[in-house]
Amino acid sequence: MSTLHTINKSPYAHNALSSCLKVCAMNDGILLLEDGVFGALISAPGAQELQILIKHGANVFALVNDIKARGLEEKVAPDIKLIDYNTFVQLTLDHRCVQSWY
Amino acid sequence: MSKKILLVSRHAPYGSSTAREAIDVALAAAIYDQDIGILFMDDGVFQLLKDHQGKYINQKNIDSMLSALALYGIEKIYVHQESLDNRTITTNELILDDLQLLNSIDVGHLLSQQDQLLSF
Amino acid sequence: MFKVGIDMLLHNPERDIALDKDGYLINLSDWNKEVADALAIQENILLTIAHWEIINLLQEFYREFEISPAMRALVKYAEKKLGPEKGKSIYLLQLFPPSPAKIASKIAGLPRPTNCL
């Protein structure tokens, strides 16, 4: 069973996302929320690693409310799935454990 | 039935109460005979340095409290090697000599084997 | 950390000592051997050499780890420092009934355990 990693800090200011990417397994899920959604930007630190993980089967999500709130909808990298709060809850059920990187 | 629980401690001591809270949870959970492990990663590895003198900032010594883990039956203590390397910390600078050093891939495996993760 | 109010006074020959609602010392610096005797009497315990050995052990535990021990840790520590005969719950229970870690910590003048659930 896989782990859901949640990241709530901007990759421009914190190592939460980069630490997660180091240990994340290919079948894990990554959810960007709060300031973590800045990690969904095409140009963000870690964006390339995220794309590589996605190509290898990992699921990367960003909370759409946090994306919209920050005016980032047009800047999100391809293949990052925008999800709402209900889907967030469902994800926590679909994964064995949740590790929050903050 | 006891659950396999891993505490992930990633924050430096003293700057916030996060590190201390992880220890309190570990000691409390151990009393209930849960299967506890602790992973130190990122700035969390700074907790493991020897000879803290918290009295200078009116704090209890985190390293002293961590030394008690074995007496509480918590013997699975993991440290992320790369986090040590990035901070040029060597293992002989650390309290506790029965630490298990893990590379990033090992940490990934460790996370996937748990019933419950607690992130600190 | 939070401040606790004085709920009780321990009557002592020199002066009264402030205790919280569960009988723990409010100012740890108030502790001395006479205070320990008085605290023990409140728990219906008359301190003997065997009791003092455990009280000293608890204070050593606190100096080393800066926490008041839970039962399991106290038993293990007693076993390590005093040998297998004394590193047993039953031995500690006879000295400090009904809850050795809690009662002996209180008499030893340790802060109340933060992780006693």
Side-chain angles (χ1 to χ4, degrees):
Chain A
M1 279 282 271
S2 61
T3 304
L4 177 68
H5 302 267
T6 68
I7 290 108
N8 76 339
K9 292 284 191 296
S10 164
Y12 293 95
H14 290 82
N15 68 357
L17 178 60
S18 77
S19 292
C20 167
L21 292 173
K22 279 176 200 157
V23 305
C24 177
M26 289 303 173
N27 58 342
D28 284 353
I30 297 177
L31 169 60
L32 308 171
L33 74 168
E34 299 170 21
D35 283 351
V37 296
F38 292 114
L41 302 184
I42 295 170
S43 56
Q48 284 186 339
E49 288 95 325
L50 275 179
Q51 289 300 320
I52 292 168
L53 275 173
I54 291 169
K55 285 197 175 63
H56 284 85
N59 284 302
V60 180
F61 309 92
L63 197 64
V64 70
N65 304 62
D66 286 321
I67 291 280
K68 284 187 175 171
R70 291 163 179 76
L72 304 178
E73 219 172 350
E74 302 302 318
K75 295 174 180 288
V76 174
D79 299 321
I80 292 182
K81 297 168 191 159
L82 300 186
I83 61 156
D84 59 14
Y85 284 108
N86 287 337
T87 314
F88 176 11
V89 174
Q90 188 59 45
L91 285 177
T92 64
L93 298 171
D94 293 344
H95 291 78
R96 183 180 166 104
C97 292
V98 178
Q99 160 67 12
S100 57
W101 302 85
Y102 63 93
Chain B
M1 211 184 78
S2 86
K3 280 193 168 189
K4 210 169 152 66
I5 301 172
L6 183 72
L7 286 80
V8 183
S9 189
R10 296 180 45 248
H11 291 86
Y14 310 115
S16 71
S17 59
T18 311
R20 173 72 195 276
E21 283 160 8
I23 298 168
D24 285 344
V25 167
L27 298 181
I31 293 168
Y32 288 96
D33 272 332
Q34 300 296 305
D35 181 1
I36 310 274
I38 305 188
L39 165 67
F40 293 93
M41 185 174 175
D42 294 331
D43 277 355
V45 300
F46 283 128
Q47 296 171 43
L48 298 168
L49 287 175
K50 291 173 187 168
D51 299 329
H52 295 195
Q53 296 180 76
K55 63 182 179 193
Y56 288 106
I57 50 171
N58 298 319
Q59 301 271 331
K60 287 191 176 192
N61 290 326
I62 293 277
D63 60 335
S64 305
M65 298 172 74
L66 287 172
S67 314
L69 291 177
L71 283 176
Y72 283 74
I74 301 172
E75 276 142 12
K76 291 185 289 189
I77 302 176
Y78 308 97
V79 184
H80 183 226
Q81 177 79 57
E82 193 181 321
S83 300
L84 291 177
D85 296 344
N86 287 341
R87 292 161 181 78
T88 58
I89 298 171
T90 55
T91 48
N92 58 15
E93 295 176 274
L94 304 179
I95 55 159
L96 314 175
D97 36 35
D98 44 1
L99 300 165
Q100 300 183 48
L101 299 176
L102 302 182
N103 64 28
S104 295
I105 293 167
D106 296 334
V107 169
H109 288 312
L110 184 69
L111 296 182
S112 67
Q113 289 161 1
Q114 308 300 316
D115 293 313
Q116 187 78 54
L117 294 171
L118 297 171
S119 319
F120 291 94
Chain C
M1 287 291 181
F2 57 95
K3 293 272 180 208
V4 275
I6 299 171
D7 291 286
M8 284 189 271
L9 289 173
L10 180 69
H11 299 297
N12 203 42
E14 291 165 31
R15 61 192 176 87
D16 291 344
I17 307 280
L19 303 178
D20 73 10
K21 65 179 166 49
D22 297 315
Y24 285 85
L25 291 179
I26 288 184
N27 302 308
L28 300 183
S29 56
D30 282 340
W31 191 89
N32 58 38
K33 295 201 168 186
E34 289 69 37
V35 168
D37 280 325
L39 286 167
I41 286 165
Q42 292 213 321
E43 304 290 340
N44 299 312
I45 295 169
L46 196 60
L47 295 182
T48 65
I49 292 171
H51 291 96
W52 276 105
E53 189 176 43
I54 301 302
I55 291 171
N56 292 332
L57 184 79
L58 272 159
Q59 294 182 339
E60 191 184 336
F61 188 102
Y62 189 77
R63 277 193 296 274
E64 189 171 346
F65 303 117
E66 304 200 25
I67 41 185
S68 303
M71 189 57 190
R72 173 182 183 157
L74 176 60
V75 171
K76 276 199 184 180
Y77 197 65
E79 185 184 4
K80 188 172 137 191
K81 297 282 180 176
L82 306 176
E85 287 306 306
K86 291 170 180 172
K88 287 199 170 64
S89 322
I90 186 76
Y91 176 75
L92 299 171
L93 201 55
Q94 282 165 350
L95 292 173
F96 298 99
S99 177
K102 217 161 91 183
I103 303 224
S105 293
K106 192 189 292 185
I107 296 170
L110 269 51
R112 52 183 310 135
T114 49
N115 54 338
C116 69
L117 298 174

